[in-house]
Amino acid sequence: MLEMRDMSKIFRTEQVETHALRSFDLHVREGEFVTVTGPSGSGKTTFLNIAGLLDTFSTGAYVLDGQDVSDLDDYARSKLRNRKIGFIFQGFNLLPDLNLFDNLDVPLCYRRLKRAERHQRINDALARVGLASRMKHYPSQLSGGQQQRAAIARALAGHPRLLLADEPTGNLDSQMALEVMDLLQDINRAGSTIVMVTHDPNLASRAQRNVHIVDGRVAEDPADGTIRPRPVEGTA
Amino acid sequence: MQIRFVLAALRKHRLATFLIALQISLACAVLCNACFLIVQQVHAMRIDSGVDEARLGTVKLSGFDPKSANDFNARVVDALRHVDGVQSVSVISGVPFGEPGVRAGIGLDPDYKQFGGVIDFYLGDDHAAHDFGLHLISGRMPSPDDYMPVTKFVPSNAPVLITRTLAEHLWPGQNPLGKQFWGLDTQFRVIGVLDHLSVSQPGGSEAKDPDWSVFVPAIAGPNLAGKYLIRAQPNDMPRVMREAREAALKAAPDAVLDTDQSHSLSRLRHSYFESARVMVKLLAGVVVALLGTTALGIVGLASFWVTQRRKQIGTRRALGATRGDILRYFQIENFIIVSFGILLGMLLAYGLSLELMRSYEVPRLPFGYMPIGAAALWILGQLAVLVPALRASAITPVEAIRTL
């Protein structure tokens, strides 16, 4: 589903060159639930941005769902992102001016889906996260947990091949965090591939596989047996 | 498809939307009416006077004894004819763009039961019709027998040359030749029809049409004296007029030369429309300032909304919006706001037009100006929003995601 080979991402300014990712190799198979952990500044978010086609990389190769996306232009990346990837953000990122129904409708409209199909998908997605009765509510009228469930529904409505979650429970209390985590596990059991970045080792342990990143490299990955010495947290 | 989302977002920003739409509506109302007034003024300034303006000048003298008018006329005409470059001199009662001459209401019957309107009468001696360069389209020019002395204001039972516009007004669809009308206590008979002969003060007199005038052949005398028409080559006009004024004063040292009215007709026209030109410039300035302010308002609001919605734009890009989708979003939003403003503006424009009609006797704003004003504001709106919209579309998703 997701294969990154010898990837690097270098941020350049006039005076400094920062290697956010270096010799980064990762292979996520279809249907897997992979969590990505690592200390602050280890490259987790950079990895997720590149995986989600939100950002480009400097060298290496990236194959998403069998398609090499290394040389796609902005338009093609947008279209591919819309069709194949669902995002769940730490800050929910619902559009505050639109009600839940319209929030879910926005990415489907970008895909030029027909009205009937869009409505069906939105109703199904909201029902799946238990918010069918709130579709006319605005984000500001919902609790944090409900907003995150709405954001998950928005991602699900697109029937993505890959679901990327960036600290999806970071802004929630522990009870709500567990509910969201349960929901993600249900989604994964239903066949969706999920890659989730988290700081929380308890949440990470609930995934099938946890990849640990340090200094822009994969330090531990049970899938290929990679184990590199971990530096002390916070020094990376 | 984005229209629904744009409308939903605008509903959440009602006040800002309403204020900018109100500004656009005011711009629309003023734009439509100002453009109409400008076109009217320009049209009025381009009026065809019906006389050979470039070759004509006039000298006006006053303060002479009417009893010696014949001698006075003879002396002045002779002096003017001897000015180098003068081709012809005639005695007249007035010229287009000069002071009002003879003006009166006329009727189609002796009792004025059928009122024909207020018209200008141009009286001229036997050289005047030729010197004016009047363009006859039917009938005949006055013959020597048609020239008669002026009894009070005009000759009695005089034959006249009438303009086509006035003839069509008085006798719609009929041949005006031989027709009669009454005015100034006498009767007039049409012997010829002129293409044009504008009233002395087009747009400013009581005449409802600037071409409602007649030429009346007359013999110079006590009631036709002091105003002279000079014909010369156009490129020689400034010198000829300067020397003509000096010659007239030398020939009639006791008379008073009207320095305001003693000029070439080109200069009289220029002076006559001075205030109209100022008005056109002022209105054009108001239009430009208003459009500029409106454009800046749109740019300001759009820029503010781009900054305010940076996170939303990033989210939309993350959800799959292309740069084109973001650009279109802001263009559609601007189109909707401007359209709302235009709708309101058209009502305002019509109301303003009615008020101008009532207060300043200007014609009603033709409906054709409204789509022109609307199109101008739509184009202005799209151009004004282009830079902020392009800036919004250039926001990369990761840039916005970083700020989350």
Side-chain angles (χ1 to χ4, degrees), chain B residues 277-359:
Chain B
R277 269 195 303 281
V278 171
M279 186 181 173
V280 165
K281 285 176 188 167
L282 270 175
L283 285 172
V286 166
V287 167
V288 169
L290 204 65
L291 290 180
T293 312
T294 307
L296 287 176
I298 293 170
V299 171
L301 187 69
S303 297
F304 172 68
W305 277 351
V306 167
T307 307
Q308 195 188 38
R309 297 175 188 167
R310 198 174 177 79
K311 182 176 168 182
Q312 287 188 44
I313 293 165
T315 302
R316 284 174 189 274
R317 294 280 278 131
L319 295 176
T322 62
R323 285 180 176 167
D325 288 325
I326 300 297
L327 184 69
R328 270 190 297 281
Y329 181 92
F330 282 93
Q331 286 178 317
I332 290 170
E333 183 178 70
N334 175 269
F335 184 81
I336 290 171
I337 295 172
V338 172
S339 299
F340 178 57
I342 285 170
L343 201 67
L344 210 62
M346 284 185 176
L347 296 174
L348 272 177
Y350 191 67
L352 185 61
S353 171
L354 291 180
E355 183 58 29
L356 287 172
M357 273 173 72
R358 204 169 56 80
S359 305

Side-chain angles (χ1 to χ4, degrees), chain A residues 74 78 81-82 93 102 105, chain B residues 4 315 317 319 398 404:
Chain A
D74 186 80
S78 297
R81 196 159 58 228
N82 180 251
N93 285 26
D102 286 344
D105 202 12
Chain B
R4 189 161 52 87
T315 302
R317 294 280 278 131
L319 295 176
V398 71
L404 303 180

Side-chain angles (χ1 to χ4, degrees), chain B residues 102 104-108 115-122 137 160-177 179-182 188 190 192-199 206-216:
Chain B
V102 182
I106 58 167
L108 293 176
F115 185 65
V118 176
I119 69 167
D120 270 21
F121 294 81
Y122 286 104
I137 55 172
V160 295
L161 302 178
I162 192 169
T163 60
R164 176 168 43 190
T165 310
L166 181 56
E168 186 58 33
H169 165 68
L170 297 176
W171 305 286
Q174 298 176 45
N175 182 359
L177 294 176
K179 296 279 187 192
Q180 292 177 311
F181 63 88
W182 282 260
F188 299 92
V190 176
V193 179
L194 298 171
D195 194 12
H196 290 290
L197 179 57
S198 81
V199 296
E206 296 161 69
K208 284 189 177 171
D209 189 283
D211 233 14
W212 281 8
S213 55
V214 293
F215 176 80
V216 187

Side-chain angles (χ1 to χ4, degrees), chain A residues 11 49 53-55 74-75 78-79 81-82 87 89 91 93-98 101-103 105-107 109-110 112-113 118 138 140 154 166, chain B residues 1-2 4-6 8-9 11-13 309 311-323 325-326 328-329 396-399 401-402 404:
Chain A
F11 293 104
N49 287 341
L53 304 176
L54 298 173
D55 203 359
D74 186 80
Y75 180 84
S78 297
K79 290 293 173 193
R81 196 159 58 228
N82 180 251
F87 284 98
F89 301 100
N93 285 26
L94 295 169
L95 299 170
D97 297 334
L98 305 180
F101 185 92
D102 286 344
N103 260 285
D105 202 12
V106 166
C109 283
Y110 291 139
R112 313 276 190 264
L113 292 179
R118 293 196 330 260
Y138 286 87
S140 59
R154 180 176 63 188
D166 188 7
Chain B
M1 206 176 273
Q2 296 199 64
R4 189 161 52 87
F5 304 133
V6 173
R11 270 198 295 272
K12 293 285 243 177
H13 301 276
R309 297 175 188 167
K311 182 176 168 182
Q312 287 188 44
I313 293 165
T315 302
R316 284 174 189 274
R317 294 280 278 131
L319 295 176
T322 62
R323 285 180 176 167
D325 288 325
I326 300 297
R328 270 190 297 281
Y329 181 92
T396 60
V398 71
E399 204 181 323
I401 296 295
R402 267 191 209 123
L404 303 180

Side-chain angles (χ1 to χ4, degrees), chain B residues 4 43 47 73 88 96 152 335 344:
Chain B
R4 189 161 52 87
H43 184 68
I47 186 175
N73 275 339
S88 181
K152 192 175 178 184
F335 184 81
L344 210 62

Side-chain angles (χ1 to χ4, degrees), chain A residues 95-132:
Chain A
L95 299 170
D97 297 334
L98 305 180
N99 62 30
L100 287 198
F101 185 92
D102 286 344
N103 260 285
L104 267 63
D105 202 12
V106 166
L108 303 181
C109 283
Y110 291 139
R111 208 187 287 190
R112 313 276 190 264
L113 292 179
K114 291 200 184 316
R115 182 189 167 92
E117 186 181 353
R118 293 196 330 260
H119 283 215
Q120 186 61 51
R121 285 184 178 212
I122 292 166
N123 288 327
D124 289 350
L126 284 174
R128 195 166 173 189
V129 300
L131 289 173

